[in-house]
Amino acid sequence: MSQAIRYVRHGGPEVLTLDDVPIPEPGPGQVRVAVRAAGVNGIDWKLRRGFMGRGGPPAGPAGVGVEFAGTIDAIGAGAGVTADAAAGDGGGNGGWSVGQAVFGRVLSGAAATHVPADTEDLLAMPAWLSFEQAAALPVAVETAWRTLRRLDLKEGHTLLVHAVAGGVGLVAAQLARDRGVRVVGTASPARHDFLRELGVRPVEYGDGLAERVRAAAPEGVDAVLDASGRDVLAVSVELAGGPDRVVTIADGRAAEYGVSFSTGADGVPLADVFAEVLPLLERGALRVPIERTFPLERTADAHRLSEEGHLLGKIVITVP
């Protein structure tokens, strides 16, 4: 048997249960991964609470978690095995091997002991990454990379990031800095020293935000990434000089302000993203801190912490 965190009704973290389930079989073009760690993201608890659906309870038991790291323990038809995959080339030549360490994303169900995954959403895990660190990467890194591409920032521009101390915010800030972009970010005061170490100019949330941003960025703001969803779109449009220079991943009222809302439906291939990002991670030019880890049976506590917000980096669930 396998185990998975699931829920059968929408609600708070208390609706989550650790269930015994049949070990899933990989379909065509898939592998099955024995999960060692799974990342926690805002989308997890928003789905659990029913914020992202069309009303009504789930059609059946629903899994949680969209990113993971672990080892391949079964291969579906068409996934194949090649010498390159066995050597850690990440399926770049069309194959994967049993026992290979990997990380990636799924639509749901990563908080489990086993998960089937499409090979196109899978990457070989370098030996210098831990399972916990790798599981924290796919969502934050892909989202940050995607939204920065949409904002089309150039060297010398200034980017404002709301919730800059969270997973997406931290990655976006560091990628932007690596590309020669100045970064101002909203965060709670306890995170400011860490952010300054990364070259980010931190400012506090709350009343007077526009004035604090202008003081921190006297050259002006060229673009805004809202990863907070804390009613900051109006001031973001004001600071950026128009809605076309603002992207949110967290505020469902984006259309009211003429702002772009970027979701996973806009996703880009992980291979494209990590071709740039893995070298930065390896040489320490990009850091994704782990705020806290929880064992699989305490996934509800991980969700509670995620909902509270004010995190530094990511929360990760570990699987023995």
Side-chain angles (χ1 to χ4, degrees), residues 7 10-14 44-52 307:
Y7 60 96
H10 295 305
E14 68 279 357
D44 299 337
W45 59 262
K46 291 175 183 177
L47 287 168
R48 188 203 70 228
R49 286 193 174 274
F51 294 164
M52 311 294 288
E307 289 192 59

Side-chain angles (χ1 to χ4, degrees), residues 44-232:
D44 299 337
W45 59 262
K46 291 175 183 177
L47 287 168
R48 188 203 70 228
R49 286 193 174 274
F51 294 164
M52 311 294 288
R54 299 179 180 177
V64 299
V66 296
E67 60 184 350
F68 62 89
T71 57
I72 295 173
D73 74 346
I75 296 176
V81 181
T82 68
D84 288 324
D89 258 1
N93 290 290
W96 300 91
S97 60
V98 171
Q100 185 179 8
V102 294
F103 67 109
R105 61 187 177 186
V106 289
L107 291 176
S108 67
T113 57
H114 300 84
V115 65
D118 294 337
T119 55
E120 64 186 16
D121 288 323
L122 204 63
L123 293 168
M125 196 183 92
W128 46 266
L129 271 180
S130 69
F131 287 112
E132 291 82 1
Q133 186 69 67
L137 297 175
V139 171
V141 170
E142 188 276 332
T143 304
W145 195 92
R146 167 184 12 112
T147 51
L148 288 182
R149 183 177 67 170
R150 176 172 289 195
L151 289 170
D152 192 29
L153 292 155
K154 308 297 184 185
E155 184 175 357
H157 280 174
T158 298
L159 170 68
L160 169 62
V161 181
H162 293 296
V164 72
V168 173
L170 279 176
V171 175
Q174 292 174 87
L175 289 179
R177 291 284 298 144
D178 187 69
R179 299 170 185 179
V181 174
R182 294 181 290 263
V183 179
V184 178
T186 58
S188 58
R191 311 303 188 193
H192 286 194
D193 286 345
F194 178 81
L195 293 168
R196 291 188 185 98
E197 291 179 16
L198 301 180
V200 176
R201 307 173 193 175
V203 296
E204 291 187 47
Y205 297 105
D207 294 340
L209 175 62
E211 289 73 20
R212 289 191 296 277
V213 170
R214 290 189 178 102
E219 69 278 358
V221 170
D222 297 290
V224 181
L225 168 57
D226 169 35
S228 74
R230 295 180 179 174
D231 195 24
V232 292

